[in-house]
């Protein structure tokens, strides 16, 4: 699913994110900044960004206990955040710091958010669950999670969710 860590991308002064996306090594958030700008004041809780029972506060050991051994483990040392780790599973990639999950990308319907939204669900279910952001035909619908710089995003093709991402700025 994901390629090796290509870089720790600078997102703003003092903040970094680790990405292992196959489509683009930049953060998913960069791909849909316009959608984030149109989040219309909808703010979700950290609990709502849970995916498949993986809480954002879980450390690497807890994630491995829940999901088993990953297909690949990638590590990168940073000045700001210590060791950043990516755990790649067949349809899920998780980025972690020592404090917990700071990013994920899922492309299958195997796991749902805490509110029951999953890949394959309709735009209508997404809007009914979290509200409308951006335009009704946007490719990305993004929601701020607890504080600015942390987002839960859904990539849509037509009327169906194709990917769910969570991305947080690291300082």
């Amino acid at each position: 699913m994901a390629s090796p860590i290509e870089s720790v991308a600078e997102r703003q002064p003092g903040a970094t994110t680790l990405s292992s996306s196959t489509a683009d090594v930049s953060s998913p958030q960069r791909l849909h900044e316009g959608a984030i700008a149109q989040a219309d004041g909808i703010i979700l809780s950290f609990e709502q960004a849970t995916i498949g029972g993986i809480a954002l506060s879980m450390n690497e050991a807890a994630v491995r206990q829940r999901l088993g051994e990953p297909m690949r483990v990638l590590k990168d040392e940073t000045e700001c955040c210590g060791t950043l780790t990516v755990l790649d599973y067949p349809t899920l990639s998780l980025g972690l710091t020592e404090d917990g999950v700071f990013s994920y990308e899922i492309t299958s319907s195997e796991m749902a958010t805490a509110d029951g939204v999953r890949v394959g669900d309709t735009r209508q279910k997404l809007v009914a669950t979290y509200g409308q952001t951006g335009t009704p035909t946007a490719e990305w619908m993004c929601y701020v999670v607890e504080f600015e710089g942390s987002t839960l995003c859904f990539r849509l093709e037509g009327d169906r969710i194709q990917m769910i991402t969570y991305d947080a700025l690291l300082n």
Side-chain angles (χ1 to χ4, degrees):
M1 173 184 158
S3 65
I5 297 172
E6 311 241 356
S7 68
V8 174
E10 288 295 306
R11 291 165 37 91
Q12 66 184 35
T16 60
T17 185
L18 185 68
S19 177
S20 63
S21 171
T22 56
D24 187 321
V25 296
S26 64
S27 161
Q29 187 166 352
R30 279 195 190 164
L31 298 176
H32 44 264
E33 285 176 349
I36 293 165
Q38 297 177 23
D40 298 326
I42 299 172
I43 299 176
L44 305 180
S45 69
F46 284 119
E47 291 77 22
Q48 289 177 289
T50 297
I51 191 79
I54 303 298
L56 302 179
S57 61
M58 285 182 151
N59 64 21
E60 182 178 347
V63 168
R64 285 176 181 244
Q65 182 175 11
R66 172 108 174 120
L67 299 178
E69 287 302 309
M71 296 178 343
R72 179 173 41 205
V73 178
L74 307 164
K75 296 201 179 261
D76 194 10
E77 292 296 324
T78 66
E79 289 182 27
C80 77
C81 312
T83 302
L84 302 181
T85 303
V86 173
L87 302 179
D88 282 334
Y89 293 90
T91 59
L92 174 68
S93 182
L94 287 156
L96 297 108
T97 66
E98 292 177 5
D99 295 328
V101 176
F102 74 89
S103 70
Y104 63 72
E105 178 178 297
I106 185 162
T107 57
S108 82
S109 62
E110 294 173 5
M111 295 179 164
T113 66
D115 294 307
V117 176
R118 64 183 69 236
V119 168
D121 283 345
T122 65
R123 180 183 304 266
Q124 181 180 5
K125 179 175 181 179
L126 177 60
V127 170
T129 303
Y130 298 117
Q132 176 68 51
T133 66
T135 64
T137 58
E139 179 183 1
W140 285 96
M141 290 183 65
C142 296
Y143 305 87
V144 173
V145 179
E146 293 277 330
F147 62 90
E148 190 174 345
S150 180
T151 56
L152 179 63
C153 294
F154 301 83
R155 184 174 63 82
L156 295 119
E157 280 185 22
D159 187 43
R160 297 279 173 185
I161 298 169
Q162 300 298 310
M163 179 189 311
I164 303 171
T165 66
Y166 171 77
D167 190 37
L169 290 178
L170 300 176
N171 293 316

